[in-house]
Amino acid sequence: MKKLGIFAAAAAMGLTFAQSALAEDVTLKAVKERGFLQCGVSTGLPGFSNPDEKGNWTGMDVDVCRAVAAATLGDASKVKYTPLTAKERFTALQSGEIDVLSRNTTWTQTRDTSLGLNFAGVNYYDGQGFMVSKSLGVKSALELDGAAVCIQAGTTTELNLADYFRENNMKYQPVVFDTSDQTVKGFEAGRCDILTSDASQLYALRIKLANPDSAVVLPEIISKEPLGPVVRQGDDQWFNIVKWSMNALINAEELGLTSANIDEKKMGDNPGVMRFVGIDGPKGKGMDLADDWAYQIVKQVGNYGEVFDRNVGAGSALNIERGVNALWSKGGFMYAPPMR
């Protein structure tokens, strides 16, 4: 009986390892066979994931999808976007409807440990704030006792809002919507006194108002909101690919590599650049990618600084300062492990 028990245990372990090995290359193989990446995004949020009138998606989250497509397929345009509400997003990823979720999603303990999902990094450090109509004359969130609050369902902002008002002994009336578009329309229609969301979203939603100057974002930031792409647990190879696509964007900025100069830089003798473009070092071997996977990301998408500037920074309508989203060497939080 003891030998049978050992055999059964060994067989079970073998099955587990076999299942694990099987799971490891499922997503990359599916993406390559399909010929495109299926990426879950928002239903429309300027600066992060937003379609134009022709259905072309742009934004910081969209550029993460494009970076993964460039790394895996050699073509950043090989992405199909699935618009998802906050309530729909995790189910879509868990069920395999999408390969990666890149949708202004906050990394929290519950989401990381209880949903069968892994966060692959942070592409934007955010925090929750409040937007109010100027006509109210409010200067601080501490003046909001008794306010009606427009909020999107299925987000961390609902929980943060409850905590903030409880801690400050204030009351509020939630007015809940399914999408950010519905939320801002509710605010504009006067169904609430204030709209709360991540600060970056408030600036993005503010420009959707018929008269953006009629509203102001209050100075208080009441939470930490590290936003980043998410994948399913159980596929470590895919997890590594998405994680290192993010790291490549950040390392490229640190190395001074841009979409405009990477061809010239790779002809030089900088050892860090040689490793980055796949001439030397680990190349793409550990992830079953082409050796120039990181080069393709920068050539087609740009580095993290380029992504930030054109979508939410100085080159965009949002004009948000880099702040904590600057590189670590310039006083920010953006730091990626070395590529060697």
Side-chain angles (χ1 to χ4, degrees):
M1 287 298 290
K2 190 174 181 180
K3 284 183 180 175
L4 182 60
I6 293 172
F7 177 79
M13 288 176 63
L15 181 61
T16 300
F17 291 147
Q19 288 173 329
S20 178
L22 184 66
E24 278 183 1
D25 61 2
V26 166
T27 309
L28 178 61
K29 185 178 178 184
V31 169
K32 286 183 173 179
E33 288 179 353
R34 194 191 305 133
F36 63 86
L37 176 75
Q38 195 75 54
C39 195
V41 292
S42 75
T43 53
L45 182 66
F48 289 85
S49 49
N50 198 47
D52 63 17
E53 63 279 359
K54 295 180 179 177
N56 299 311
W57 288 83
T58 58
M60 289 201 68
D61 292 337
V62 166
D63 279 343
V64 171
C65 305
R66 296 176 66 235
V68 175
T72 55
L73 300 169
D75 189 340
S77 70
K78 299 294 186 185
V79 184
K80 288 194 176 178
Y81 299 97
T82 302
L84 298 165
T85 67
K87 288 194 292 186
E88 297 168 336
R89 55 185 163 178
F90 297 125
T91 303
L93 183 59
Q94 291 160 337
S95 68
E97 182 184 349
I98 56 175
D99 304 308
V100 59
L101 176 69
S102 186
R103 186 202 174 284
N104 52 293
T105 297
T106 302
W107 187 348
T108 70
Q109 178 185 344
T110 300
R111 291 171 175 177
D112 201 16
T113 62
S114 305
L115 301 180
L117 306 175
N118 279 329
F119 282 76
V122 176
N123 71 328
Y124 192 93
Y125 288 96
D126 213 338
Q128 184 175 341
F130 299 97
M131 181 166 71
V132 302
S133 171
K134 276 184 181 176
S135 63
L136 292 179
V138 173
K139 302 297 182 187
S140 165
L142 295 174
E143 302 172 36
L144 298 174
D145 188 19
V149 185
C150 283
I151 192 167
Q152 191 176 342
T155 63
T156 55
T157 53
E158 282 185 286
L159 306 176
N160 298 330
L161 179 69
D163 287 350
Y164 182 77
F165 274 71
R166 188 183 303 119
E167 287 171 5
N168 290 288
N169 197 28
M170 299 191 300
K171 294 181 179 178
Y172 69 98
Q173 177 64 44
V175 183
V176 182
F177 299 91
D178 284 336
T179 68
S180 57
D181 263 351
Q182 292 170 353
T183 307
V184 75
K185 285 176 182 173
F187 174 76
E188 196 163 32
R191 295 189 59 188
C192 54
D193 302 305
I194 58 175
L195 189 158
T196 186
S197 189
D198 295 346
S200 63
Q201 290 191 41
L202 294 179
Y203 288 103
L205 296 176
R206 184 171 170 268
I207 64 173
K208 286 190 169 188
L209 297 173
N211 179 13
D213 290 336
S214 66
V216 62
V217 178
L218 298 178
E220 285 91 346
I221 297 294
I222 66 169
S223 69
K224 294 184 292 185
E225 305 293 336
L227 312 178
V230 195
V231 297
R232 286 178 291 278
Q233 283 184 0
D235 189 340
D236 287 351
Q237 181 191 52
W238 187 247
F239 179 39
N240 286 337
I241 288 170
V242 177
K243 177 171 55 182
W244 279 96
S245 294
M246 286 281 305
N247 290 337
L249 291 168
I250 299 167
N251 276 315
E253 184 178 11
E254 190 173 331
L255 286 167
L257 296 172
T258 69
S259 53
N261 71 17
I262 192 167
D263 285 324
E264 177 189 345
K265 294 275 189 181
K266 77 174 186 178
M267 303 304 289
D269 57 3
N270 183 314
V273 174
M274 296 299 100
R275 287 192 293 273
F276 189 95
V277 299
I279 294 174
D280 199 359
K283 305 182 178 179
K285 204 173 296 179
M287 296 181 284
D288 196 20
L289 298 179
D291 290 343
D292 67 347
W293 66 275
Y295 163 85
Q296 294 296 340
I297 290 176
V298 176
K299 183 64 182 175
Q300 298 181 47
V301 182
N303 66 34
Y304 180 80
E306 292 178 271
V307 168
F308 187 98
D309 285 347
R310 70 169 170 258
N311 290 308
V312 299
S316 75
L318 301 186
N319 196 22
I320 298 174
E321 294 183 0
R322 283 290 290 268
V324 296
N325 290 294
L327 291 179
W328 66 279
S329 55
K330 295 183 179 178
F333 293 166
M334 282 297 164
Y335 183 102
M339 297 173 68
R340 64 184 316 141

